[in-house]
Every structure is written in C-alpha cells, then in structure tokens.
Amino acid sequence: MANLPSSVNEYLTRALAEYATLPALSNLHSDTVYTYADTAREIGRMHTFFKALGLRKGDHIALCARNSAEWAIAFLASATYGAVAVNILADFQPDDIMGLVGHSDARLLLTDDHTVHTLGESRIASLASLPSLDGTVLLGSLKPVGEPSAALQSALASLPVATEEAETPPSVTFIPEAATLAPSDPVVINYTSGSTGDPKGVILSDRALWSNIRYSIDGLTFLHPSDSTICMLPLAHMFGLLVDLLHPFVKGCHIHFVTRTPSPAIIMDAFATVKPKLIVSVPLVIEKIIRKKVLPLLDKNPLKTLVRIPVVKSIIYRKLHDKLIAAFGGNLQELILGGAAVSPDVESLLRKIRFPFTVGYGMTECGPLIGYAPWNEQRAATCGHIVDRMEIRVDSPDPRNVAGTLWVKGDNVMNGYYKNPAATEAVLGADGWMNTGDTGTIGADGLISIRGRDKNMILGSSGQNIYPEEIEAKLNAIAPVAESLVVDGGDGHLVALIYLDPEATADMTPDQKMEAARAVVKGVNASLAAYEQIRDIEIMDSEFEKTPKRSIKRFLYLKQ
C-alpha cells in the first residue's frame, strides 16, 4: 500500500477526511451518532479549549470515565493535540483514582457524572489542591466539576466565541490541525489494572501505538468502512483502546460503545443490536455465556448420546455453531479473547464446532499486542505468533518443551513506567529486551503457549515448578465451581480457594458445599502430578475481588 501513514496522528486525520460522511461513534441505544465530520468538529472544539487553558504539547490530560463516544472523542482530541492522555479506569477505588491523577501530573481531568458521584464531594473538592491540575470538566459538555480555578474559568469563558469562529459549515470537511510527534514521543500513560499489586503508569510512544494499529489493519482484513463494531472492554485498558477504538476508527467503521458494566444480558442485547463482525472480549465474559447457553445442551439426553455417532455429531456441531453465531449477532467473523487463558472445556467445545475464535497475547507494556493468529491457524492452548516488528525469546534450555520466562523486544515495547525508574529497570534492559513476567514455550510452528505468570509460579517442595493457572483451569471446568485460586500454603503445600456457583448450590448446607468442592478437587487431583496435588480447600463466601478487566487480584489472597 502506497503512502502509508507514518504516525498515529496521520492515521487519525486521514480517517477523519476520507470517511467524513460515514457514522463513526455512538453510544449503544442512543439517538446521537457522530459522523467522522462531527467527530472532527468536536476534536477541533476541544483543541480550542486546550489552547485557551494554556495546554502545550506533551502536557498530561487525565481521562477517567466510563466508556462512551465522548470518551473516544476526548482521547482523539488529546492525541491530535500532541498531549499525553492519562487513561485511568473508572472502576478503580476512589482513593486510587485521586492518587493516580496526582501522580500523573495531569493538567486537566476529563470525567463523567458517574465517576464524579463515585469520588464524592470531599474528593472533588480536594482535586483543587493538586499542584499540577488546572481543572476538572465533564466529557462532552465541558461543564466544570467543583469550584473552577481562575485559569479554567477563563478558558471556558472564551470557548463559545472561539468555537463559533472555528466552526465550519457541515458541507465543508473540517480536519483539525494535528501535532507532529517523533516516534519516541509519548502519546499515552496507561495505568495498569493492578492484578499483581500497585498500578504503574505505562508510557507508550507514537511508535508503539502506530505499530499496534498497523498490525491490526494488516491482520484483521475483514473489517471495512461502514462496518459496525462494538466496544465493551474498558477504553482505559489498552486492549480496548487499541483493538476496539483506534483500529476500527482508522478503517472507517461505526463504533458502538457499551456504556454500562457489560453483564451477559447487556452483552447479548448489544450483539443483537449491532451485529458486529469483530468482538473483542476477556474469556470470563464469554465463558459465562457458553456455560449458560451451550454446555448444558450437550449434557442432556438425547444429545449426550447422539454426539457419539459420527454422522449425527457433525450435524449437531453445525447446529450449535449456527446457534452460537446467531447469539453473537449473526455477522461474526472473529471473536478475539485476551487477558487470560480460556478454560479447557469451553475451548474444546468451540474448536469442535469450528467457532471463529482466537486467543491473543498482550500486555499494557506492549500497547498491547505481542501474539496473534487467525482462528483457523490457532492451536489449542496457544495464543498466536509474535506480531510484526516484535521479537520474542524464551529463557529456557529447551524453549519448545521446557517453560521459561518470555522476553520481548521491538516497536511495541513501552518507554518505561512514569516516575518509576526502579520498576522500569526491573523489567526493561538497556538492550531493549523486556521481561514480560510470563512463563511459556514456543512451538516448532512459532505458536506461543503461556503457562502462567512468573510471579505466580509456586516452587514445589522438591523444587518443581507449579503453575497455579493450569490447575485453576481444571477446577473451573467442573460444576459447581464458579472460580478458584490455587495458592501456596507453605513449602509447596497447595490450597484451593473455591467460590461455588451460587445458583447451583443455593439449597446446599455448608457441609454439602464442602463435600461438593472435595469431589471436584479429588477428580482434578487424579489428573495432576504428585507434586501438584491440592491438599486443602477453603470455600469463599463471595466472588474474588477483580480488576476492571476481570482479572482476579491474586495478591490479595496469597497466604502469608
């Protein structure tokens, strides 16, 4: 392809010009639809506001709000202005949000009514004491939150006049002026979701985002201008920002935002409404749908018997395939899962019925892509080939068979952690190789297999490496287990923390629940090596505490 954009802003401005008349952004079930031309004018309006507030190239703008078209416009405005967007998950604890806004040295905080309510009046008032922050405003309306500073009052007072002067008639394509960035210039500081401890601000450059966008364009060729896509992952998580927003935006797609916490009912309604070609999700959300709607069918007679007959089995699998495609909107080309491994029972079923799903591998520190392969090239328990402009190696004497720490290098790798040189040096070497913290192998076909987080690995009593995620996947595949954690009880003595499905165990006594858990553990232990045996069980009263991307905060449950 000739004249490929060489920067993120070139991709964005080209899309705004080329697809001006097409729908770009809308909130699910909202009558308001921003075309690409509308989006360009809104970006120009925000540029006017930024300029009036005295923001400069490289200044930090914090974004903390639920997903919405207005969130997307604010990010696009920040990027094209040359500012650094500080993405903070709105589902963080209120005190953590306050701490991260301060830590990031943000000049401006863009938020929504929901987050304002979560923070509360006292915290909103205390924002004024942050030395770098000039003000807090609501997305879209730019209405001030709390008592506005003099600088913010002045900027808002000048906005209507400046906006009127800058407005362009709808018949004329308006393209906002975009800052020119060097490849190493930061575009995003993305605070990690904290599944292993305190969040860290990952600095991602123009080069990293450009490389991720380019790979998504080259690899996901089935999306075209005017196609509808759905965004249900948090935009303040790099998987959602890159694959759900930036990638379809530069292709001219119409992106629909799920603005509420995506429960299975909300998600199924969204699929039926949007009929997306591409769905990007974390495994936990999809597994709930599969376990509720598909797996129970196979456990019932006569299907349980009929699937043993080869000719009939193929017909049943085809019908299940079609039923599931219809449940996902009827137009699905590929479902991409990331952020965690898929449970073996769900993955096995999806592969049997040839459902178009694949599992990617990434991390915030790589903006986020590391591994991907199309669904028809993927093997079970793998997560793709190394993506373009990246290298990968395994710290192991036998990388194909013996798991070792995975290291990556290339354009996608972060600049470092904001104001945290010690954490940066701990993972990023002077030679450019970064320790992912994951352990795994790479097959002869180049497909990556993840065994678990290096930090989560448990050392057995005789020095064996135990990967708790693999044991948890086996536990979670057996009813009535809803979710589990396997932790070290001391000297490699494994303890299973188990949360049982509340619906399936509603009529059970505590003793009956423990008996059910013991039966599951007994079955799983039969498939494990002697050094991997679960010795103790604890029944959890409630779901494990999770990050907004639905990863369990494992560090909260480690035995001291």
Side-chain angles (χ1 to χ4, degrees):
M1 186 184 297
N3 300 319
L4 281 171
S6 59
S7 70
V8 172
N9 282 344
E10 193 176 341
Y11 265 124
L12 296 177
T13 53
R14 179 177 293 194
L16 291 169
E18 187 171 350
Y19 307 120
T21 61
L22 298 182
L25 311 168
S26 61
N27 298 325
L28 195 65
H29 299 309
S30 169
D31 293 332
T32 301
V33 177
Y34 296 93
T35 64
Y36 279 82
D38 295 332
T39 302
R41 282 188 283 273
E42 286 298 306
I43 289 172
R45 173 172 169 260
M46 295 201 75
H47 282 190
T48 300
F49 172 54
F50 295 162
K51 186 175 181 180
L53 192 57
L55 298 186
R56 299 178 298 275
K57 176 182 174 181
D59 279 346
H60 296 179
I61 298 174
L63 266 167
C64 185
R66 286 185 165 186
N67 281 13
S68 67
E70 291 72 27
W71 194 109
I73 288 168
F75 178 86
L76 297 172
S78 173
T80 51
Y81 192 77
V84 179
V86 178
N87 299 340
I88 301 172
L89 287 156
D91 290 331
F92 276 151
Q93 292 297 314
D95 288 340
D96 291 338
I97 292 173
M98 297 292 293
L100 295 179
V101 172
H103 181 269
S104 70
D105 300 314
R107 291 277 312 276
L108 177 68
L109 171 60
L110 299 169
T111 188
D112 60 5
D113 286 325
H114 175 268
T115 307
V116 168
H117 177 75
T118 299
L119 291 176
E121 290 184 9
S122 62
R123 293 188 187 88
I124 292 297
S126 70
L127 284 170
S129 65
L130 295 177
S132 66
L133 196 68
D134 287 330
T136 301
V137 298
L138 294 176
L139 291 169
S141 69
L142 300 184
K143 178 182 176 181
V145 175
E147 188 65 33
S149 65
L152 182 60
Q153 282 181 318
S154 175
L156 291 172
S158 67
L159 184 58
V161 175
T163 301
E164 286 175 12
E165 291 174 353
E167 278 182 353
T168 303
S171 60
V172 178
T173 300
F174 167 73
I175 305 301
E177 183 178 350
T180 300
L181 300 179
S184 60
D185 283 346
V187 177
V188 173
I189 296 176
N190 204 103
Y191 280 91
T192 60
S193 52
S195 60
T196 57
D198 292 333
K200 296 187 286 288
V202 177
I203 307 170
L204 292 166
S205 67
D206 183 80
R207 178 194 294 112
L209 291 189
W210 176 90
S211 179
N212 273 273
I213 292 170
R214 172 68 188 278
Y215 183 82
S216 298
I217 292 171
D218 292 343
L220 303 173
T221 57
F222 52 82
L223 278 186
H224 305 290
S226 294
D227 280 347
S228 288
T229 66
I230 191 164
C231 176
M232 58 186 183
L233 288 177
L235 285 166
H237 180 250
M238 284 309 301
F239 201 16
L241 178 68
L242 194 288
V243 187
D244 270 350
L245 173 59
L246 295 179
H247 150 245
F249 186 86
V250 302
K251 284 184 173 178
C253 296
H254 180 188
I255 307 165
H256 299 74
F257 298 91
V258 177
T259 58
R260 295 183 291 165
T261 302
S263 68
I266 290 172
I267 289 170
M268 298 309 290
D269 171 68
F271 293 161
T273 302
V274 178
K275 300 182 179 3
K277 281 187 175 180
L278 172 68
I279 295 173
V280 183
S281 181
V282 292
L284 183 63
V285 172
I286 302 303
E287 286 171 4
K288 285 184 177 179
I289 295 171
I290 302 298
R291 288 204 170 98
K292 294 280 186 184
K293 291 187 171 290
V294 181
L295 287 178
L297 297 176
L298 292 175
D299 288 334
K300 294 179 180 178
N301 287 320
L303 281 185
K304 195 170 185 179
T305 302
L306 290 174
V307 292
R308 297 172 185 168
I309 305 171
V311 176
V312 179
K313 177 174 71 174
S314 63
I315 296 172
I316 292 172
Y317 283 169
R318 168 50 59 183
K319 288 188 175 181
L320 284 175
H321 169 278
D322 293 346
K323 179 181 176 70
L324 202 51
I325 289 289
F328 281 71
N331 201 27
L332 183 66
Q333 296 293 304
E334 189 164 86
L335 165 66
I336 303 177
L337 300 175
V342 182
S343 64
D345 60 329
V346 170
E347 180 169 20
S348 175
L349 171 67
L350 294 179
R351 293 197 183 281
K352 284 177 183 176
I353 66 175
R354 291 192 57 75
F355 190 76
F357 88 102
T358 189
V359 180
Y361 172 41
M363 58 193 303
T364 304
E365 287 84 347
C366 288
L369 300 180
I370 297 175
Y372 168 81
W375 72 271
N376 55 352
E377 296 179 15
Q378 195 88 310
R379 278 192 293 109
T382 64
C383 52
H385 300 102
I386 188 70
V387 300
D388 296 345
R389 295 169 293 281
M390 290 286 284
E391 302 173 64
I392 190 167
R393 63 179 172 85
V394 184
D395 188 5
S396 165
D398 183 4
R400 291 184 183 176
N401 302 297
V402 178
T405 301
L406 298 174
W407 293 72
V408 294
K409 180 180 182 179
D411 286 359
N412 295 14
V413 174
M414 67 173 180
N415 289 5
Y417 296 114
Y418 186 61
K419 296 198 301 191
N420 198 338
T424 301
E425 290 171 11
V427 299
L428 188 58
D431 58 359
W433 284 97
M434 188 184 74
N435 184 341
T436 67
D438 294 316
T439 55
T441 56
I442 301 176
D445 55 6
L447 288 171
I448 304 163
S449 296
I450 304 296
R451 298 291 297 275
R453 290 290 296 169
D454 196 26
K455 288 182 179 180
N456 299 341
M457 189 189 73
I458 298 169
L459 195 64
S461 57
S462 299
Q464 308 95 332
N465 292 341
I466 301 170
Y467 300 98
E469 293 95 338
E470 294 182 347
I471 302 174
E472 291 156 10
K474 293 177 182 288
L475 292 169
N476 297 344
I478 304 174
V481 175
E483 55 188 19
S484 64
L485 276 185
V486 173
V487 299
D488 186 356
D491 298 324
H493 180 89
L494 300 186
V495 179
L497 312 181
I498 295 176
Y499 175 63
L500 299 172
D501 184 333
E503 291 183 14
T505 59
D507 297 327
M508 290 186 183
T509 66
D511 287 344
Q512 289 172 328
K513 290 180 180 180
M514 178 58 77
E515 203 54 43
R518 286 192 182 119
V520 171
V521 168
K522 182 178 179 180
V524 169
N525 275 345
S527 68
L528 299 174
Y531 64 86
E532 296 175 305
Q533 297 289 301
I534 297 168
R535 305 299 179 189
D536 290 318
I537 301 170
E538 291 184 20
I539 302 294
M540 308 299 291
D541 294 328
S542 58
E543 287 190 30
F544 293 100
E545 187 173 336
K546 299 179 182 69
T547 69
K549 69 170 186 174
R550 305 301 291 167
S551 298
I552 294 173
K553 293 185 176 181
R554 186 179 292 268
F555 69 95
L556 295 177
Y557 301 94
L558 299 180
K559 299 294 180 181
Q560 301 300 319

